[in-house]
Amino acid sequence: MGRVLTVSGNIVIDVSPDVAYRAVSRPSDMGRWSPENLGTAGGTGEGPAGLGTTFVGRNRRGMFRWVTQCTVTAAEPDRRFAFRVHAIGLGRPRLRGPIATWEYRFERAEGGTRVTETWTDDRTAWPDAVAAVFDRAVTSGSTFAAFQTRNINKTLRNLKRELESRAEGTG
């Protein structure tokens, strides 16, 4: 069986699609919800990101830290936000190539907005066996699909907790 290249998760958050979209479309804030992302490097990703915006994401997994170069590929307010990760490095994103695409969809649902987060592995040129060895080495034994499924679920729970808490504070 070949590797799984796309995984997603969703959650209903008791806020409007506008509120959810505005939160997720600010890459600098992602570090508040993600178990791996730390937000963006200074001067990138501030404010809502529009189509074509580039930003440098800061990441960590255990003691290991790295940065990624990302470009926004969809910015449809209240509906869809996506970005492509296309470079990676330790201090600067020097190694270029297709890495991953992250997408968020926002749909009205009973109880608020259904937010769906999807990760797509863009390393399609990598042989499955090479990807499997690499993935297990950098995720402490998981495939990236299983690892990202856990990350997505945690990110969505954290996003829900924060946005609903903010909404309660203003109501």
Side-chain angles (χ1 to χ4, degrees), residues 1 14-15 29 35 42 63 67 84 103 115 127 146 157-158 164:
M1 179 175 138
D14 190 11
V15 297
D29 290 348
M63 303 261 313
V67 294
R84 184 174 43 90
E103 178 183 52
V115 179
R157 286 192 310 269
N158 291 339
E164 289 180 354

Side-chain angles (χ1 to χ4, degrees), residues 12-168:
V12 175
I13 303 175
D14 190 11
V15 297
S16 68
D18 174 61
V19 169
Y21 177 87
R22 279 187 284 131
V24 170
S25 67
R26 296 177 59 91
S28 59
D29 290 348
M30 187 57 69
R32 297 206 312 257
W33 314 302
S34 170
E36 185 170 279
N37 180 266
L38 299 171
T40 59
T44 68
E46 305 296 323
L51 184 64
T53 298
T54 61
F55 61 92
V56 174
R58 298 179 304 115
N59 304 279
R60 75 155 185 284
R61 190 174 304 137
M63 303 261 313
F64 186 63
R65 295 177 184 267
W66 70 99
V67 294
T68 56
Q69 179 77 40
C70 306
T71 300
V72 175
T73 57
E76 302 167 31
D78 310 348
R79 294 185 51 225
R80 183 171 168 244
F81 181 76
F83 61 90
R84 184 174 43 90
V85 182
H86 53 85
I88 192 168
L90 296 179
R92 289 195 341 219
R94 297 174 193 254
L95 181 59
R96 301 197 177 284
I99 298 168
T101 298
W102 289 91
E103 178 183 52
Y104 301 83
R105 291 193 175 262
F106 310 91
E107 303 168 283
R108 288 200 181 277
E110 182 71 33
T113 299
R114 179 177 311 284
V115 179
T116 301
E117 181 178 8
T118 302
W119 167 83
T120 301
D121 187 346
D122 291 339
R123 303 170 303 151
T124 56
W126 290 36
D128 287 352
V130 172
V133 169
F134 177 83
D135 293 359
R136 290 184 193 291
V138 300
T139 65
S140 300
S142 280
T143 64
F144 258 122
F147 181 79
Q148 295 299 16
T149 297
R150 288 190 300 272
N151 281 351
I152 286 169
N153 290 333
K154 187 168 188 178
T155 298
L156 291 172
R157 286 192 310 269
N158 291 339
L159 179 66
K160 176 181 177 76
R161 185 178 315 117
E162 181 176 315
L163 294 184
E164 289 180 354
S165 174
R166 272 196 226 160
E168 289 173 7

